[in-house]
């Protein structure tokens, strides 16, 4: 790891902080508006419009909507410098929970950072691109935007995520997500001998997976959700659908475990005498942290009063931001609320906290630390040289090379 030193140019950092403070009330209001009107993956129309409205109101950005063929994806660019940095703003919420992953705070932090950097971008020879990314909760938006060129021309990408701990380099696992459908034959409960019970296949599969957990590695995770398995107690279901996620340190590790999980679903089909169809829905790599940029973020967040203990458990979840990290230098630090709900994130309580004073503090600390990190990277000759000499990201070039 290269040595990391936070640049000392108070005038630039002070100007960034002053600009951040000027925009902060509007950004916190934006976050609360988003939190009050959560929208699901690929349906974030009101959220994207609110982001665009704020950026256009303050000027200085070339704003593009409907990026990468996604109606709710946004790209807003300021500056024309030789070092291009992306700031990711996640837009979608969770079904039934709202912004239990605090994407409204993520959006607020990235938007605030972009607004604070706009007046100094040319002075720092920077191009700053704010990317409004839909559908993170289904691991899809950033992968599509990568493939369709929304990240082309960038040298690095950043974001900050609220969670339960302050960590500059959390352990973010790889994941694959499948839909498993069983097709049998429906019958009334009074004539069970005429049925092929798809729900029985689900039960057998889940028992098998439960037993398999004894043989998996500690870092591996298996999640299942019964999406549909009948609609009435007196009707034997002929169809059933389960969704399954397998997480591990790398996609290679996921692929080592998946055949054994798949065998459990196949066993269910065999036992119940029903047909089976498996469709992969999404996947994401494990995250590759850029240590220089992560070190700069940690130093800047510490300057704002944050601490970063050496936690024994540094695990998080999975994210489509990891797909960005395997194509370009990237960071995904996490910051905790002062008093996170006891039931953790991905909960309604976490969503409520995200829209309150603690969410506002996370926007302040995370957004200003991001802005200062971009400025430090621009002024650190070694970091800047490493990022720019690697060349800007382009999907076609990456595909040809890999």
């Amino acid at each position: 790891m290269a040595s990391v030193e936070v640049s000392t140019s108070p005038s630039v950092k002070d100007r960034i902080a002053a600009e951040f403070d000027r925009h902060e009330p509007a950004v916190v209001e934006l976050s609360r508006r988003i939190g009050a009107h959560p929208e699901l993956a690929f349906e974030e129309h009101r959220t994207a419009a609110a982001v665009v409205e704020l950026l256009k109101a303050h000027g200085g950005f070339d704003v593009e909507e409907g990026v990468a063929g996604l109606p709710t994806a946004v790209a807003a660019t300021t500056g024309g410098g030789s070092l291009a940095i992306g700031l990711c703003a996640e837009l979608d919420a969770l079904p039934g929970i709202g912004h239990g992953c605090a994407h409204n705070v993520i959006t607020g932090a990235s938007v605030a950072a972009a607004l604070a950097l706009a007046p100094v971008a040319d002075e720092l020879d920077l191009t700053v691109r704010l990317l409004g990314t839909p559908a993170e909760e289904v691991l899809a938006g950033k992968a599509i935007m990568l493939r369709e060129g929304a990240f082309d021309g960038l040298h690095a990408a950043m974001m900050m995520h609220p969670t339960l701990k302050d960590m500059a380099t959390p352990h973010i696992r790889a994941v694959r997500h499948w839909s498993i459908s069983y097709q049998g034959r429906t019958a009334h409960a009074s004539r069970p001998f005429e049925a092929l019970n798809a729900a029985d296949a689900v039960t057998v599969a889940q028992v098998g997976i439960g037993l398999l957990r004894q043989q998996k590695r500690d870092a591996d995770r298996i999640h299942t959700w019964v999406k549909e398995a009948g609609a009435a107690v007196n009707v034997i279901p002929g169809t059933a659908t389960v969704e399954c996620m397998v997480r591990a340190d790398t996609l290679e590790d996921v692929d080592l475990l998946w055949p054994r999980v798949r065998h459990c679903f196949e066993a269910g089909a065999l036992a119940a005498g029903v047909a089976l169809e498996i469709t992969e829905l999404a996947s994401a790599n494990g995250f590759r942290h850029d240590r220089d940029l992560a070190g700069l973020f940690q130093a800047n967040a510490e300057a704002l009063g944050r601490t970063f203990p050496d936690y024994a458990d540094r695990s998080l979840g999975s994210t489509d931001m990891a797909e960005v990290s395997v194509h370009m230098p990237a960071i995904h630090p996490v910051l905790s609320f002062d008093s996170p709900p006891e039931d953790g994130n991905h909960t309604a309580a976490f969503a409520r906290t995200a829209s309150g004073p603690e969410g506002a503090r996370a926007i302040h600390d995370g957004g200003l630390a991001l802005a200062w990190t971009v400025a430090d990277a621009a002024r650190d000759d070694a970091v800047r040289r490493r990022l720019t000499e690697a060349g800007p990201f382009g999907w076609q070039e990456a595909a040809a090379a890999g």
Side-chain angles (χ1 to χ4, degrees), residues 303-316:
L304 294 168
R306 292 283 178 166
T307 60
F308 291 81
D310 186 14
Y311 297 105
D313 181 5
R314 302 182 58 79
S315 60
L316 201 54

Side-chain angles (χ1 to χ4, degrees), residues 377-393:
R379 295 180 300 155
D380 185 311
D381 290 342
V383 173
R384 184 185 187 101
R385 187 181 311 112
R386 178 175 63 81
L387 295 176
T388 55
E389 288 182 356
F393 173 75

Side-chain angles (χ1 to χ4, degrees), residues 25-380:
V27 172
V28 170
E29 178 58 27
L30 169 71
S31 174
R32 289 175 177 164
R33 284 173 59 194
I34 294 171
H37 302 283
E39 297 172 299
L40 302 183
F42 297 116
E43 299 174 7
E44 313 93 335
H45 300 283
R46 186 170 184 163
T47 300
V51 171
V52 168
E53 178 186 6
L54 179 59
L55 291 171
K56 287 184 174 180
H58 289 283
F61 287 87
D62 179 11
V63 180
E64 181 183 357
E65 301 176 64
V67 173
L70 300 175
T72 57
V74 176
T77 305
T78 187
S82 62
L83 175 64
I85 305 291
L87 294 165
C88 293
E90 296 179 347
L91 306 176
D92 59 323
L94 290 157
I97 294 175
H99 279 287
C101 215
H103 287 187
N104 57 317
V105 173
I106 295 170
T107 294
S110 289
V111 168
L115 288 167
L117 286 164
V120 299
D122 288 333
E123 176 184 340
L124 295 174
D125 193 19
L126 273 172
T127 298
V128 178
R129 187 182 307 168
L130 186 284
L131 290 165
T133 65
E136 189 279 335
E137 296 293 356
V138 295
L139 301 171
K142 295 184 192 67
I144 296 170
M145 293 175 73
L146 275 165
R147 186 174 65 245
E148 298 301 320
F151 286 82
D152 284 5
L154 296 180
H155 297 98
M158 306 179 186
M159 60 173 284
M160 179 283 302
H161 198 304
T163 183
L164 307 179
K165 302 171 182 176
D166 287 357
M167 296 184 288
T169 55
H171 181 199
I172 298 174
R173 290 186 172 92
V175 63
R176 292 196 192 277
H177 182 193
W178 294 269
S179 175
I180 296 92
S181 297
Y182 293 110
Q183 182 65 51
R185 186 165 59 242
T186 301
H188 192 273
S190 64
R191 301 179 64 82
F193 47 86
E194 295 180 353
L196 293 174
N197 193 328
D200 284 353
V202 174
T203 300
V204 171
Q206 289 187 312
V207 170
I209 291 169
L211 295 171
L212 174 61
R213 294 180 197 279
Q214 302 171 85
Q215 280 77 51
K216 72 177 184 60
R217 292 168 297 188
D218 289 345
D220 298 342
R221 299 286 184 271
I222 307 170
H223 318 287
T224 62
W225 169 47
V226 182
K227 189 174 182 180
E228 181 260 329
V233 68
N234 61 341
V235 178
I236 297 172
T239 61
T241 303
V242 182
E243 290 191 12
C244 176
M245 280 185 166
V246 176
R247 302 182 201 260
D249 288 341
T250 66
L251 283 178
E252 291 77 13
D253 290 338
V254 172
D255 292 340
L256 285 174
L257 179 58
W258 167 243
R260 301 188 69 179
V261 177
R262 187 187 66 233
H263 290 161
C264 295
F265 288 114
E266 292 169 345
L270 179 63
V274 301
L276 169 67
E277 181 178 352
I278 299 176
T279 304
E280 185 171 344
L281 300 177
S283 68
N285 278 278
F287 201 96
R288 302 179 187 177
H289 301 279
D290 186 278
R291 297 290 172 168
D292 287 342
L293 297 176
L296 290 171
F297 179 90
Q298 179 170 333
N300 284 308
E302 287 172 340
L304 294 168
R306 292 283 178 166
T307 60
F308 291 81
D310 186 14
Y311 297 105
D313 181 5
R314 302 182 58 79
S315 60
L316 201 54
S318 304
T319 174
D320 61 3
M321 185 67 178
E323 289 300 295
V324 178
S325 78
V326 302
H327 290 292
M328 69 180 69
I331 59 171
H332 186 284
V334 295
L335 297 181
S336 177
F337 296 142
D338 293 332
S339 301
E342 291 184 4
D343 50 357
N345 57 347
H346 272 221
T347 65
F350 202 82
R352 290 192 295 271
T353 303
S355 290
E358 296 191 46
R361 185 197 170 210
I363 290 171
H364 177 83
D365 293 353
L368 187 52
L370 284 173
W372 279 349
T373 298
V374 173
D376 285 337
R379 295 180 300 155
D380 185 311

